[in-house]
Each structure stands twice: as structure tokens, then as C-alpha cells.
């Protein structure tokens, strides 16, 4: 009998959380004076336990103090932000202010009626953001849909506009008496010399021309064949379907066939081999990013190594910069179910005005000191705890990094300073050549979004077949295959819709 | 009814589990209506417009669909032909091992890969099979065979897939057969021994018939998964060069559904998959019944 009672208690105990879990309690009813808004914040898992969590920490408290608002932060895992936001929207629990970097996603929210037009609110309530917008008219096209503004945004700093980079070992060039390549043809010649002429002078044939990371986007950009829409005589054409894409394939195919690159890069999905090649001085050229964190290790391993970023290469189509982001950085939209838009505008006004600086660099005298107008970290350890996570709260900012500031901001030891100088030149090089981008954003055509998710795997697989498939898989064959796949997936209809959208909206894009 | 009152505490104990199934297994099935709607995030499942069989029409008219269906079926057929018998053979072999220490050691070694994630196993397999640095190709070289880039070849990739499944889970799969073998009455072996049956005859006439129904049930369950291919394994092993043989329903669902946010379309695909799975399970069960076994029901 006793046992029965125990089991009954256990059963009820097991049941209790489930029952209470069903009745959602409303915590909002507090009766405080301060207006309440909720804002999404990217959860990168970087709030130290001693600081609290993403919902409550020194910076959230500081924001509430400064703004006189109660801001409820809704953490969204950075790696699956859109899925999580979609889920919150679907269940009606989405925050008032939704923050994302991805313009296509914002377009989706507009299409689905999640976001609301903002022109009236800005007109009525805003001072600082209104002013900012007047000074930055060119940002408007990024947030305008059907003639109305649907998002707040701010200008990207130069260091996040630049993206990819191609690094080359200047010391290897010097060893072989070669000059810096300026065209795709010269790049191949240098790669051949790096592979076969013992550029590191160690008497052993153990080097390769290139280590490859991010090579898809980099080679596409070189030939003006990125996965973007290009205006060709008034009609929009999708980059991977142009003749130029075949040239990008041909370059990779030559590199592979002549064994100037790792013959197993296909299965090196985490790029571990590629990284090893570069940091151990076994490859003379690296395609990756302009910041290149691997250079530190390379220079630690080989004191003579002199990595330099190459300037954009000239091809038969001219000279294109590597991928650059658009001028608009983050997007903040107002949920159409939002109750207090005025508080939202007030919050953003404060943010773009003064909030962002402290949120990015901490307090002066505590976290940073100003050196020549540039914030320099005082105590790297302290900042690591207190500042490593705060940048995501600055949903709008006016930060504009100049390349010459990089050495001032970096740590002061010799290697860090050398790397910082290198990075400064690298950023200047990366931004020197403009990247051709004919539209401020991808066309918000639903059919296009659908077709890209099906077309992109085909593109990647055909590309790989051309590169590694031997003499019968020519770049021309690849291009024909791509066009056929595109057609088969309904690409002609997409092109029609995209061009109709283009004709209708062309006028609203600012001339870049 | 009397028994209901009499055993009320037992039923009370069962309630949480019942709730669990209703809430987490049956209620989500309502979400399947998404396959017949154009699911829109703001409108939610209920208010999204009905579109009838639109998503199914798109599915069945898409040439991609037949390719991934073919890949999925082929990988599963290979796996039933080559993987399915392995745990049975292994457990028969293990059963004959008399040295306890040796037996336990072998079993543990066989289990280990099962506990390693595919992320790690994938990396190990790729480096083992590397044409320049891999062990396998080093051995081939001893026999003067040109190195083969297994992971890049559309012929070898499915072979690698099946062999890696065997490596990863065949050891673990023996557990259920080992348990079934333990259940066989020892007297039968004694009787056979007296009748002069040798080891081979004992295995053939006693052990195998003894685990026949277990094999049947495992086969039925396996048939229900004909359209499932473990996502992680394929995702870790596949690369752009073998896309044409390695893209299966689960990776396609991931690409299109999650990455491409086409919820209704992938729900339609999921529903199709479940229906086929159900048909396969019931028909295999029927066949097994006809062969004189109990099956699942």
C-alpha cells in the first residue's frame, strides 16, 4: 500500500511541470512608469558567467539607465538566427525590434508583413536618426521597398566592407626574381614557378602554388561572375550563367590540372590542409580574407616570411575588386505588432547618437583611452571579460574605422604591430579596386529565393566536375550544363520576374 | 472498468508517458497540413492559404526528386544487402568464442566506433582514403596499383558509404542478436551434440532458427527506413564532386527546407517519405507473416 502511494506521488510530481508549463504567465504587467520595448540580440555565447547573461548584464542595465526605457533583450543564437526569429514570429513572440544583417531576410519580413513602414514614425518622433539619414542619403535604397522605408540601418565601417583577399609571399617572389602578378595569366606563371622552381630554396620539391579558401567567391569576383545579378544592357543576368563564369572555371581547372594546388582540396572541407600549407610555408599564395589571422602563425614559424596582399588582378574583362559588402550594415525593423513605436524610435535615436560608442568601446578611462582620436584598449584582460560581448547591443552605430587606426588600436608588442601595419596596407589594397555590384540587394522575388537554394548545389557540383573532371569536362561544357540546370529548375520564369521587378524599381536605386 | 479502478495508480503512472506521446508525437502530426498550404510565417499554420496538391505536383515534376529518390533507395538497398547480414554473422561468430576475456575485448572494440560522432569519423575516413597520405592507398601502392581518390569517385563513394556504416554500427547491431542467442535453450545444443551434430550443423539448425523472428523484426523495421538515410553520415562524407550519387532525401530536406525556408514543400516531401515507409513496413510484415513468422503484428 505504501509503495502505491509513493508511486502516485512520483507520477504527480512528474506530471506537475508539464501541466504548469502549459499555462504561459504574463510577466509584462508590472505597472512601472518606464515604457517597455523588446529587441533581439545575437547570442554568440560570449557573456562570461560573472557578467550575467544576454538578458541581464552591466550593459543592459546601463542602457536602461541611460534611456529611461525598459529594454527586454531577446537572445537569438547567431548561428541559427533566422530559424529562431522565424519561430518567434510564427508563435507571435517576436520582439518589437528585429535585428539582422541579411538584407534578403529583411526583404522576406517585408513580403510576409512582419515589418511595418517607418517613414511616419521617423518623421514624427526622430531627431538624431532623421539627421543621420539626411547625411547618409545613399543608405535609403537598402531599406526602401515599394517606396517606403522598412528598416533602420547604418553605414558599414570600411573594415567590414572589405572581405576577401589574396595573399602572396613577397619573399618567394624575391627569391625567384619575379615581379608581383597583375593579371590572371601572370598569376598562373607565378603559381607554376612557386610549385616547380623551389621558391623557398630548401633544395626540396615540396611547395605548391596556392592554398585555397573562399576560392569560389574569389574566382567568381575576378571575372565579374559572382552570384549576383548584373545589368547587361538594361537586362539583369545572373552571374553564374554568364560566359565569364566559364573563365573562372577555366582558371581553377588549369590550377588543378597543372597540379599547382592541393589535389585533394575537394575533401578538405574544413580547410585544415589548406591552412597547414600556408602557415608551414608550403604554399606561396593564399586565397582567403583580407584580415588573414593565419599570417601570425606563418610569421612565427618563419621569420623571413613576408605575406603581402595582391592588388586586384586584371582579366580580359577588366579589373574587379574582390567581394565587398554593401554600405548598409545592420538592419533593424519594427514588428508590425509592436505596441510602442515611439519608445522604439527614442531608443534608436539614443543609440545612433551616443549609446553606440560606449557599447562598442566601454567607458573612457575604464576600458579605453583616446589616443589621437582613436580608442585604445587599456587593459586587454579586463576588456575581454567586460567588453567581449557588448558590441551586439549597439544595433546602430556611427563607427568608421580608418586603416591608419589599426596599429594604434592593436597591442603594442613587435609582432602585433608588424601584423597591424600589414593589415593596414591590406585594407587599403582591398578597398582600392571597386567591386562591381549593380543592385543594392538581390531582387526580392520569391521564386528567385526558391531557385537559388536548388541551383546553388548544382552550381557547386558542376563546378567541381569541370575542375577535376579531366579533358572532356571543359569549362564550356560546364557552362552549358549550368544553363540547362537553370532552365530545368524554371530559371526563365525567374529571369522574367526579376527583370519585371527591375524595370519597376530601377528608378529608386541611387546611382552608385 | 473494474480493473481500471483496481489498477488506478498504475494508470496514473502511465499518464505522463501518454501525455508525452500525445504532445510530442501526435499533436505535431497536425503540422502535416502545412503540406497542403502555402505556409507563411506571420499567418501561422492555421491562417495560411490552402493550396491543395501544389507542393506534391512540384515534387513529382521535379527531376531532382527522382535523382535523390534513386540515390536514397540505392544506398538503402546496398545497405540491406551488405550491411544487414554483418551483425548477424558477427554475433554468430562471437557466440562461438569460448574465451570470455577475448570475447569481451572484441565486443568492446567493435562497439567503439558507434560512440564516435560522424564529424570525427568522417575526418578519419577521408584521411584514411586520401590518395597521397592515406593508409589504404599506401597498401595499394605495394601491389603497384595506381592510387585511387575514393571520395571523389562516383563509383567508390557508395562503397565507402556502406563500408563506413558497417564499421560504425555493425558492432553495436550485434547486441540485439547476442541477446536473442542467449535466449535459446541450452538443452537443444546438448541434444544435437548427442545426435552427433557438428558446430556448423548446430549453428544452422539451432542458433539461426532460434533468432529467426528477431531477424524478421529487424528486417521489417529496417524496411520502414528505406527512404531515410542518416543525415550526418552523408553530410560529413559528401563533397561537391560526388553530388550526383550522394544527395539524398535528408540532405535535400536540409538544403531546401531549412536553408531555403521552403517549409510547405519539404513537409510534402516528409509526408511522402512517411507514407512510403508505412507501405514498406506493412508489406514486409505481410510477407514475413506469410513465411510463418509473427512479425510486428
Amino acid at each position: 500500500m505504501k509503495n502505491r502511494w509513493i508511486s502516485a506521488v512520483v507520477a504527480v510530481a512528474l506530471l506537475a511541470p508539464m501541466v504548469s508549463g502549459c499555462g504561459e504567465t504574463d510577466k509584462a504587467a508590472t505597472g512601472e512608469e518606464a515604457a517597455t520595448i523588446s529587441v533581439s540580440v545575437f547570442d554568440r555565447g560570449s557573456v562570461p558567467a560573472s557578467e550575467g547573461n544576454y538578458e541581464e548584464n552591466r550593459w543592459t542595465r546601463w542602457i536602461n539607465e541611460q534611456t529611461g526605457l525598459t529594454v527586454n533583450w531577446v537572445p537569438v543564437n547567431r548561428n541559427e538566427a533566422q530559424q529562431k526569429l522565424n519561430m518567434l514570429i510564427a508563435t507571435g513572440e517576436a520582439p518589437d525590434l528585429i535585428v539582422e544583417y541579411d538584407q534578403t531576410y529583411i526583404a522576406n519580413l517585408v513580403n510576409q508583413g512582419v515589418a511595418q513602414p517607418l517613414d511616419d514614425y521617423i518623421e514624427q518622433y526622430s531627431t538624431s536618426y532623421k539627421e543621420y539619414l539626411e547625411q547618409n542619403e545613399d543608405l535609403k535604397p537598402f531599406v526602401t521597398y515599394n517606396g517606403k522605408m522598412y528598416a533602420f540601418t547604418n553605414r558599414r565601417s570600411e573594415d567590414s566592407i572589405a572581405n576577401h583577399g589574396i595573399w602572396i609571399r613577397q619573399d618567394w617572389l624575391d627569391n625567384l626574381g619575379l615581379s608581383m602578378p597583375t593579371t590572371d595569366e601572370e598569376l598562373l606563371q607565378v603559381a607554376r614557378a612557386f610549385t616547380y622552381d623551389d621558391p623557398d630554396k630548401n633544395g626540396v620539391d615540396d611547395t605548391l602554388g596556392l592554398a585555397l579558401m573562399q576560392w569560389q567567391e574569389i574566382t567568381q569576383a575576378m571575372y565579374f561572375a559572382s552570384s549576383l545579378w548584373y545589368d547587361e544592357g538594361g537586362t539583369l543576368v545572373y552571374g553564374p550563367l554568364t560566359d565569364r563564369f566559364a573563365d573562372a572555371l577555366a582558371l581553377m581547372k588549369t590550377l588543378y590540372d597543372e597540379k599547382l594546388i592541393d589535389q585533394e582540396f575537394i575533401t578538405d572541407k574544413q580547410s585544415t590542409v589548406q591552412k597547414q600549407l600556408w602557415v608551414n610555408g608550403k604554399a606561396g599564395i593564399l586565397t582567403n580574407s583580407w584580415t588573414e589571422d593565419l599570417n601570425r602563425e606563418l610569421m612565427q614559424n618563419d621569420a623571413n616570411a613576408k605575406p603581402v596582399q595582391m592588388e586586384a588582378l586584371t582579366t580580359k574583362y577588366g579589373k574587379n575588386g574582390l567581394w565587398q559588402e554593401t554600405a548598409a550594415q545592420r538592419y533593424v525593423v519594427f514588428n508590425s505588432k509592436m505596441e510602442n513605436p515611439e519608445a522604439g524610435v527614442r531608443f534608436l535615436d539614443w543609440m545612433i547618437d551616443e549609446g553606440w560608442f560606449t557599447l562598442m568601446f566601454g567607458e573612457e578611462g575604464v576600458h579605453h583611452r583616446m589616443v589621437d582620436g582613436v580608442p585604445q584598449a587599456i587593459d586587454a584582460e579586463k576588456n575581454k571579460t567586460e567588453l567581449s560581448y557588448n558590441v551586439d547591443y549597439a544595433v546602430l552605430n556611427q563607427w568608421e574605422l580608418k586603416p591608419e587606426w589599426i596599429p594604434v588600436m592593436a597591442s603594442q608588442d613587435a609582432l602585433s604591430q608588424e601584423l597591424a601595419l600589414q593589415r593596414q596596407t591590406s585594407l587599403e589594397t582591398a578597398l582600392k579596386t571597386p567591386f562591381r555590384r549593380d543592385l543594392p540587394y538581390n531582387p526580392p522575388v520569391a521564386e528567385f529565393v526558391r531557385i537559388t537554394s536548388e541551383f546553388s548545389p548544382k552550381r557547386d557540383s558542376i563546378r567541381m566536375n569541370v575542375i577535376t573532371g579531366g579533358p572532356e569536362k571543359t569549362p564550356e561544357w560546364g557552362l552549358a550544363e549550368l544553363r540547362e540546370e537553370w532552365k530545368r529548375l524554371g530559371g526563365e520564369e525567374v529571369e522574367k520576374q526579376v527583370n519585371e521587378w527591375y524595370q519597376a524599381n530601377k528608378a529608386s536605386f541611387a546611382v552608385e | 472498468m473494474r480493473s481500471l479502478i483496481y489498477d488506478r495508480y498504475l494508470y496514473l503512472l502511465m499518464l505522463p508517458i501518454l501525455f508525452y506521446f500525445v504532445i510530442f508525437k501526435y499533436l505535431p502530426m497536425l503540422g502535416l497540413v502545412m503540406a497542403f498550404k502555402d505556409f507563411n510565417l506571420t499567418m501561422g499554420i492555421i491562417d495560411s492559404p490552402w493550396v491543395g496538391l501544389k507542393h506534391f505536383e512540384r515534387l513529382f515534376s521535379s527531376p531532382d526528386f527522382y535523382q535523390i529518390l534513386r540515390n536514397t533507395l540505392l544506398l538503402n538497398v546496398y545497405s540491406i544487402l551488405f550491411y544487414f547480414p554483418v551483425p548477424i554473422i558477427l554475433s554468430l561468430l562471437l557466440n562461438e568464442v569460448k574465451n570470455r576475456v577475448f570475447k569481451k575485448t572484441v565486443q568492446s572494440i567493435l562497439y567503439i566506433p558507434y560512440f564516435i560522432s560522424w564529424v570525427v569519423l568522417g575526418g578519419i575516413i577521408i584521411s584514411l582514403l586520401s590518395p597521397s597520405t592515406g593508409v589504404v592507398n599506401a597498401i595499394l601502392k605495394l601491389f603497384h596499383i595506381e592510387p585511387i581518390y575514393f571520395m571523389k569517385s562516383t563509383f567508390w563513394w557508395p562503397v565507402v558509404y556502406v563500408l563506413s556504416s558497417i564499421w560504425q554500427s555493425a558492432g553495436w547491431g550485434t547486441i540485439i542478436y547476442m541477446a536473442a542467442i542467449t535466449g535459446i535453450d541450452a538443452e537443444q545444443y546438448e541434444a544435437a551434440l548427442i545426435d552427433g551434430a557438428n558446430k556448423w550443423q548446430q549453428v544452422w539448425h539451432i542458433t539461426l532458427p532460434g533468432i529467426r523472428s528477431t531477424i524478421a523484426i529487424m528486417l521489417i523495421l529496417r524496411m520502414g527506413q528505406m527512404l531515410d538515410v542518416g543525415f550526418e553520415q552523408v553530410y560529413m562524407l559528401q563533397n561537391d564532386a560526388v553530388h550526383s550519387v550522394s544527395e539524398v532525401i535528408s540532405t535535400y530536406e536540409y538544403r531546401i527546407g531549412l536553408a531555403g525556408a521552403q517549409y510547405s514543400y519539404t513537409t510534402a516531401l516528409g509526408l511522402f517519405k512517411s507514407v512510403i515507409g508505412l507501405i514498406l513496413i506493412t508489406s514486409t510484415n505481410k510477407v514475413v507473416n506469410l513465411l510463418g513468422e509473427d512479425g510486428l503484428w
Side-chain angles (χ1 to χ4, degrees):
Chain A
M1 196 62 206
K2 204 177 172 190
N3 280 341
R4 277 229 195 123
W5 274 109
I6 291 172
S7 44
V9 169
V10 171
V12 171
L14 284 171
L15 212 55
M18 298 176 64
V19 175
S20 65
C22 302
E24 184 65 34
T25 48
D26 204 313
K27 288 177 204 153
T30 40
E32 275 174 29
E33 286 282 302
T36 304
I37 55 166
S38 55
V39 187
S40 72
V41 58
F42 289 123
D43 183 344
R44 299 177 204 262
S46 49
V47 180
S50 59
E51 290 284 298
N53 53 37
Y54 273 96
E55 281 122 318
E56 169 88 33
N57 55 55
R58 92 174 56 229
W59 300 111
T60 62
R61 285 191 293 271
W62 183 80
I63 291 168
N64 287 348
E65 246 166 59
Q66 296 286 315
T67 56
L69 298 165
T70 306
V71 184
N72 292 325
W73 296 93
V74 180
V76 176
N77 189 333
R78 179 67 192 107
N79 296 325
E80 35 198 40
Q82 297 183 1
Q83 285 97 309
K84 173 83 194 272
L85 285 171
N86 285 347
M87 215 174 69
L88 289 172
I89 294 164
T91 51
E93 288 168 25
D96 298 335
L97 274 65
I98 300 171
V99 185
E100 239 300 339
Y101 286 97
D102 180 1
Q103 214 273 345
T104 317
Y105 181 71
I106 301 298
N108 252 329
L109 293 186
V110 175
N111 281 342
Q112 304 218 338
V114 179
Q116 53 173 326
L118 304 167
D119 303 67
D120 294 345
Y121 299 142
I122 295 174
E123 196 49 46
Q124 264 178 34
Y125 306 125
S126 175
T127 50
S128 302
Y129 185 78
K130 194 154 83 182
E131 202 180 303
Y132 180 79
L133 206 56
E134 276 160 17
Q135 289 159 2
N136 296 279
E137 282 277 328
D138 59 322
L139 293 179
K140 275 190 179 171
F142 297 103
V143 293
T144 306
Y145 303 87
N146 311 319
K148 290 203 178 81
M149 270 189 284
Y150 277 87
F152 296 86
T153 187
N154 68 261
R155 179 175 301 285
R156 259 179 196 278
S157 175
E158 284 188 341
D159 54 324
S160 65
I161 284 187
N163 229 293
H164 298 136
I166 308 180
W167 292 83
I168 187 164
R169 292 281 295 269
Q170 180 66 52
D171 50 320
W172 283 20
L173 285 174
D174 296 343
N175 281 350
L176 298 174
L178 296 168
S179 53
M180 183 68 81
T182 57
T183 66
D184 49 351
E185 201 34 62
E186 287 173 26
L187 177 80
L188 281 174
Q189 280 159 16
V190 169
R192 284 176 197 129
F194 280 180
T195 312
Y196 298 113
D197 297 349
D198 192 21
D200 55 355
K201 299 288 172 206
N202 67 350
V204 188
D205 179 15
D206 61 350
T207 52
L208 276 180
L210 286 86
L212 298 171
M213 288 159 78
Q214 316 264 9
W215 55 273
Q216 296 92 334
E217 291 85 355
I218 289 175
T219 50
Q220 280 180 264
M222 277 170 63
Y223 294 93
F224 302 89
S226 297
S227 299
L228 295 170
W229 291 86
Y230 292 96
D231 182 332
E232 317 266 286
T235 317
L236 288 183
V237 184
Y238 193 49
L241 302 171
T242 58
D243 292 344
R244 303 186 296 263
F245 191 79
D247 292 280
L249 292 176
L251 176 73
M252 282 300 295
K253 192 173 173 63
T254 312
L255 288 172
Y256 184 82
D257 286 347
E258 297 189 15
K259 299 194 167 34
L260 308 178
I261 51 177
D262 173 24
Q263 295 295 291
E264 293 168 41
F265 76 107
I266 308 154
T267 38
D268 188 18
K269 288 198 287 186
Q270 317 294 327
S271 299
T272 31
V273 176
Q274 310 303 316
K275 286 178 190 163
Q276 289 304 317
L277 284 172
W278 181 248
V279 301
N280 294 330
K282 298 293 173 213
I285 299 168
L286 170 72
T287 63
N288 194 18
S289 73
W290 73 267
T291 50
E292 209 38 81
D293 298 325
L294 295 172
N295 284 344
R296 177 182 283 270
E297 214 179 322
L298 168 67
M299 288 163 77
Q300 279 167 345
N301 288 343
D302 179 359
N304 297 322
K306 261 181 70 187
V308 181
Q309 206 203 141
M310 247 189 256
E311 269 189 44
L313 298 170
T314 309
T315 68
K316 65 177 170 187
Y317 301 110
K319 197 163 142 184
N320 194 17
L322 298 183
W323 184 278
Q324 290 171 14
E325 298 294 344
T326 55
Q329 187 184 19
R330 279 196 198 86
Y331 299 92
V332 184
V333 302
F334 277 10
N335 189 335
S336 46
K337 291 180 183 145
M338 174 174 191
E339 277 168 15
N340 195 343
E342 198 232 319
V345 174
R346 193 140 57 89
F347 170 72
L348 292 176
D349 257 11
W350 167 82
M351 187 63 83
I352 192 106
D353 205 27
E354 49 176 335
W356 67 272
F357 191 83
T358 314
L359 284 173
M360 286 178 80
F361 300 102
E363 287 170 56
E364 190 171 0
V366 181
H367 300 104
H368 70 264
R369 60 174 157 253
M370 297 305 280
V371 178
D372 308 330
V374 185
Q376 187 182 66
I378 295 175
D379 180 354
E381 277 308 304
K382 182 182 170 69
N383 287 5
K384 214 170 137 191
T385 330
E386 296 181 5
L387 288 187
S388 56
Y389 61 90
N390 58 345
V391 59
D392 282 305
Y393 293 100
V395 292
L396 294 178
N397 69 70
Q398 297 202 48
W399 171 242
E400 275 185 56
L401 179 101
K402 298 275 170 278
E404 59 271 23
W405 293 356
I406 297 174
V408 184
M409 292 172 70
S411 305
Q412 300 298 309
D413 63 283
L415 181 57
S416 299
Q417 279 299 307
E418 195 182 342
L419 285 163
L421 283 171
Q422 200 183 79
R423 197 172 279 203
Q424 175 188 343
T425 336
S426 168
L427 180 54
E428 284 159 357
T429 314
L431 294 171
K432 201 165 170 181
T433 319
F435 168 71
R436 180 176 164 190
R437 185 191 280 279
D438 297 353
L439 299 176
Y441 48 85
N442 272 333
V445 172
E447 275 298 285
F448 172 59
V449 177
R450 174 189 70 76
I451 200 172
T452 37
S453 58
E454 292 176 38
F455 180 70
S456 304
K458 303 273 175 212
R459 179 198 62 205
D460 295 344
S461 129
I462 291 170
R463 165 160 47 201
M464 210 43 114
N465 276 327
V466 169
I467 296 171
T468 64
E472 66 265 40
K473 301 283 167 70
T474 61
E476 291 69 34
W477 169 86
L479 190 62
E481 282 286 291
L482 277 170
R483 287 178 175 155
E484 200 173 307
E485 284 294 340
W486 174 261
K487 210 159 139 190
R488 215 170 44 77
L489 291 166
E492 281 171 341
E493 176 60 25
V494 173
E495 267 165 40
K496 209 179 108 220
Q497 288 186 22
V498 163
N499 274 297
E500 274 165 14
W501 165 85
Y502 187 49
Q503 294 313 324
N505 291 276
K506 215 171 179 174
S508 72
F509 303 143
V511 184
E512 293 200 33
Chain B
M1 194 61 205
R2 262 183 69 92
S3 70
L4 195 68
I5 294 167
Y6 184 78
D7 289 330
R8 56 194 179 279
Y9 296 118
L10 285 180
Y11 283 107
L12 194 62
L13 261 181
M14 203 184 82
L15 269 184
I17 292 144
L18 207 63
F19 273 120
Y20 169 81
F21 274 98
V22 171
I23 293 171
F24 293 107
K25 301 283 169 190
Y26 284 90
L27 283 182
M29 281 188 199
L30 296 178
L32 282 176
V33 296
M34 260 167 77
F36 305 96
K37 292 182 157 211
D38 252 342
F39 178 66
N40 177 309
L41 278 176
T42 33
M43 293 193 239
I45 294 178
I46 295 171
D47 297 330
S48 293
W50 291 99
V51 292
L53 295 175
K54 178 178 132 184
H55 297 295
F56 291 92
E57 276 160 21
R58 187 181 142 203
L59 188 65
F60 297 130
S61 64
S62 152
D64 280 357
F65 171 68
Y66 295 100
Q67 197 196 26
I68 57 159
L69 186 65
R70 192 200 67 200
N71 291 343
T72 314
L73 285 173
L74 273 180
L75 288 183
N76 272 307
V77 168
Y78 296 151
S79 139
I80 287 185
L81 285 180
F82 301 105
Y83 168 79
F84 190 77
V86 176
I88 303 172
I89 295 168
L90 269 181
S91 41
L92 291 178
L93 289 174
L94 280 169
N95 187 45
E96 297 305 323
V97 176
K98 291 291 170 258
N99 183 328
R100 259 185 69 86
V101 179
F102 180 72
K103 185 172 168 181
K104 291 281 164 205
T105 320
V106 170
Q107 273 184 304
S108 306
I109 292 172
L110 287 174
Y111 294 165
I112 286 172
Y114 185 79
F115 296 102
I116 305 176
S117 109
W118 272 113
V119 181
V120 179
L121 285 181
I124 296 178
I125 290 165
I126 288 168
S127 49
L128 280 180
L129 295 178
S130 155
S132 58
T133 54
V135 181
V136 177
N137 275 298
I139 297 169
L140 288 185
K141 253 180 248 169
L142 290 181
F143 295 98
H144 303 288
I145 301 172
E146 276 292 297
I148 302 167
Y149 198 170
F150 294 101
M151 302 305 289
K152 200 199 106 184
S153 149
T154 47
F155 171 77
W156 285 107
W157 195 87
V159 178
V160 173
Y161 172 83
V162 173
L163 289 178
S164 63
S165 318
I166 293 176
W167 180 40
Q168 198 249 0
S169 51
W172 187 251
T174 57
I175 286 184
I176 201 148
Y177 296 112
M178 293 295 283
I181 290 173
T182 331
I184 299 171
D185 193 346
E187 282 178 18
Q188 292 186 33
Y189 291 103
E190 282 167 28
L193 211 58
I194 291 165
D195 289 344
N198 61 23
K199 270 273 168 276
W200 179 244
Q201 287 165 327
Q202 287 179 29
V203 168
W204 189 251
H205 293 290
I206 301 171
T207 320
L208 269 181
I211 60 172
R212 212 164 79 141
S213 50
T214 313
I215 298 176
I217 287 188
M218 295 303 282
L219 188 66
I220 297 170
L221 292 176
R222 186 65 191 74
M223 291 304 286
Q225 295 165 357
M226 273 303 271
L227 293 190
D228 286 317
V229 170
F231 172 76
E232 280 169 56
Q233 186 184 0
V234 175
Y235 195 71
M236 290 319 297
L237 292 180
Q238 81 178 170
N239 59 63
D240 288 333
V242 292
H243 203 269
S244 59
V245 293
S246 69
E247 185 80 332
V248 293
I249 293 182
S250 54
T251 50
Y252 183 75
E253 276 179 324
Y254 173 77
R255 232 186 279 282
I256 310 297
L258 277 179
Q262 300 178 43
Y263 304 109
S264 289
Y265 179 55
T266 32
T267 309
L269 177 56
L271 183 58
F272 167 77
K273 201 170 83 172
S274 309
V275 170
I276 299 293
L278 188 67
I279 293 172
L280 284 171
I281 282 206
T282 40
S283 45
T284 322
N285 194 56
K286 198 91 210 154
V287 172
V288 168
N289 284 343
L290 288 175
L291 290 175
E293 285 293 333
D294 281 345
L296 281 177
W297 63 87

